[in-house]
Amino acid sequence: MEKSSSQVMKGIIWAAVASAMWGISGTVLQLISQNLAIPATWMLSMRTFSAGIILLIISVILYGKKIFNVFKTRATAISVISYAILGLMANLLTFYYAIQTGNASAATILQYLSPLFIVLGGIIFMHRRPFRSDIISFVIALIGVALCITRGNFTQLALPLVSLLWGLGSGITAAFYVVLPQRAADENPPIVVLGWGTMIAGILFNLYRPFWVNPPHISTTLVASVATVVLFGTILPFGILLHATKYAPSDVVSIMDAVQPITTSILSVIFFHLNLNWAEILGIVLVIIAVYVLQNGRRKHTIHY
C-alpha cells in the first residue's frame, strides 16, 4: 500500500524525534561520566539491567510466552547472545569510554560511521565488490572525520588518541549491533530481541560489577541522569522508531539518524561550552553526507538488482 506524503512526513518527524533522543542521551552520558565521575562499570550495569527488565515486561504484555521463541532454535539463540555480547555490551562500553575520555560530540560522530564499517566488513571478509558510491562515501567520510578530530589543523589531534580509538571501536561495535541480531529479528519482534539482548548484557555486566555493591553517592542529579539515559537512550526512541516505520519507508527513516550527531553537538555547545570551529562543523556535515551517499547508493543497487 502506497503511503501518502503526509504519512511519510509524519514518519520522518517521529524518526527525527527518536534520533534526537539518542543525541540527548549521549550528552547526558558526558555529564555522568565526566562531571559526576560515575564509573563506567556501575553505569553500564545499572543501565542495561533496568532497561532490560522494562523491555521484557513490555514484551510480555505484547507477546506473552512468545518472547521465549528466540531460544527455540540454535541459530536465533546464537544471534541474540552474540548481539548482547559483541554488539550491545561492546558498543555501550566503547561509547561510554569514548565520551569519558573525550566528548559526546566526537564520540557520536565516530559511532555514526557504523554503516561504512558494515560495508567495509562485507568488502574485506565476504569479498564483495565495492560500488562507486561506497568509494565516494569513504573518501568524504575520511575528510569529514579528519576535520573533526584535528579542528582543521592536520599536524595534531584535537582530542586524546585514546578517545579516538574508543570512538572508532564504538563505530565498529555499532556495526555489530546492527548485523548480529538480524537472524533473530527475522523471526521475532524487534522489541523482544532488544529486550533479551539488553537483559543478557545486564546480567553479564552485573556479574562483573553488581550495581547494588558499593554504589556511588546517590543524588537527585544522578537518578535523573540515569533515568534519562535509560528512557531516552533505549526504550522511548526504539518504540518511537518502530512507530515511525508505520508511516514512512525504513530507508527514509534511517536517513533521520543524522539528527543524533547534530543534536549532540548542539547540546555539547550549550551545556559543556564546546567550541566548534568551521572545520568541525564542516566535518560533521561531510560525515552525514557520506553516510547518506552510502545508504542511497546501496538502496539504488538493491532495487536495480
Side-chain angles (χ1 to χ4, degrees):
M1 181 178 175
E2 192 173 342
K3 302 179 188 295
S4 66
S5 57
S6 61
Q7 285 181 312
V8 172
M9 182 54 65
K10 186 182 291 187
I12 289 173
I13 292 171
W14 279 119
V17 170
S19 188
M21 285 184 174
W22 274 309
I24 293 169
S25 173
T27 308
V28 175
L29 272 176
Q30 183 170 341
L31 169 67
I32 293 172
S33 65
Q34 294 183 357
N35 294 40
L36 301 181
I38 302 301
T41 50
W42 182 87
M43 178 59 200
L44 294 172
S45 295
M46 186 67 181
R47 175 184 182 179
T48 51
F49 192 76
S50 55
I53 289 176
I54 295 171
L55 287 166
L56 285 181
I57 290 174
I58 295 172
S59 298
V60 169
I61 294 171
L62 294 176
Y63 303 104
K65 294 181 180 179
K66 290 181 180 179
I67 69 167
F68 296 101
N69 288 350
V70 293
F71 301 108
K72 277 193 172 182
T73 68
R74 181 175 178 176
T76 55
I78 290 174
S79 176
V80 171
I81 294 171
S82 62
Y83 161 60
I85 299 172
L86 299 176
L88 217 154
M89 287 184 71
N91 181 250
L92 290 176
L93 190 67
T94 52
F95 187 60
Y96 190 93
Y97 279 124
I99 292 175
Q100 189 174 58
T101 56
N103 61 73
S105 179
T108 303
I109 202 67
L110 289 169
Q111 182 175 256
Y112 188 68
L113 296 172
S114 59
L116 281 82
F117 287 119
I118 293 173
V119 173
L120 189 61
I123 294 171
I124 295 173
F125 299 109
M126 302 181 72
H127 307 292
R128 291 175 179 166
R129 185 178 178 181
F131 300 127
R132 189 171 73 169
S133 58
D134 295 341
I135 297 171
I136 293 172
S137 63
F138 275 106
V139 173
I140 296 173
L142 188 63
I143 296 170
V145 170
L147 288 170
C148 285
I149 65 175
T150 63
R151 294 174 61 91
N153 181 3
F154 296 104
T155 61
Q156 62 182 17
L157 292 175
L159 73 163
L161 177 61
V162 65
S163 179
L164 173 61
L165 294 176
W166 280 120
L168 291 173
S170 176
I172 294 170
T173 54
F176 291 154
Y177 184 98
V178 173
V179 173
L180 292 175
Q182 286 182 356
R183 180 63 184 271
D186 286 341
E187 302 175 20
N188 299 274
I191 193 170
V192 174
V193 176
L194 176 66
W196 279 117
T198 309
M199 189 73 254
I200 292 169
I203 292 171
L204 293 176
F205 272 131
N206 278 279
L207 286 175
Y208 178 77
R209 171 66 161 89
F211 69 84
W212 59 87
V213 176
N214 297 322
H217 173 67
I218 305 299
S219 63
T220 304
T221 303
L222 177 60
V223 172
S225 299
V226 172
T228 300
V229 170
V230 171
L231 292 174
F232 283 67
T234 307
I235 298 166
L236 288 178
F238 184 77
I240 291 172
L241 206 61
L242 287 178
H243 183 66
T245 57
K246 294 180 181 180
Y247 300 101
S250 57
D251 56 347
V252 175
V253 168
S254 66
I255 293 172
M256 299 314 294
D257 287 346
V259 174
Q260 181 183 354
I262 293 171
T263 302
T264 304
S265 297
I266 292 172
L267 292 177
S268 295
V269 170
I270 295 172
F271 294 105
F272 296 105
H273 308 293
L274 180 68
N275 295 316
L276 292 176
N277 66 9
W278 66 268
E280 289 172 292
I281 295 171
L282 178 59
I284 292 170
V285 172
L286 287 176
V287 170
I288 292 171
I289 291 173
V291 173
Y292 172 77
V293 169
L294 180 78
Q295 293 175 330
N296 191 52
R298 286 266 152 182
R299 183 169 66 249
K300 285 181 178 179
H301 282 289
T302 301
I303 294 171
H304 180 72
Y305 291 109

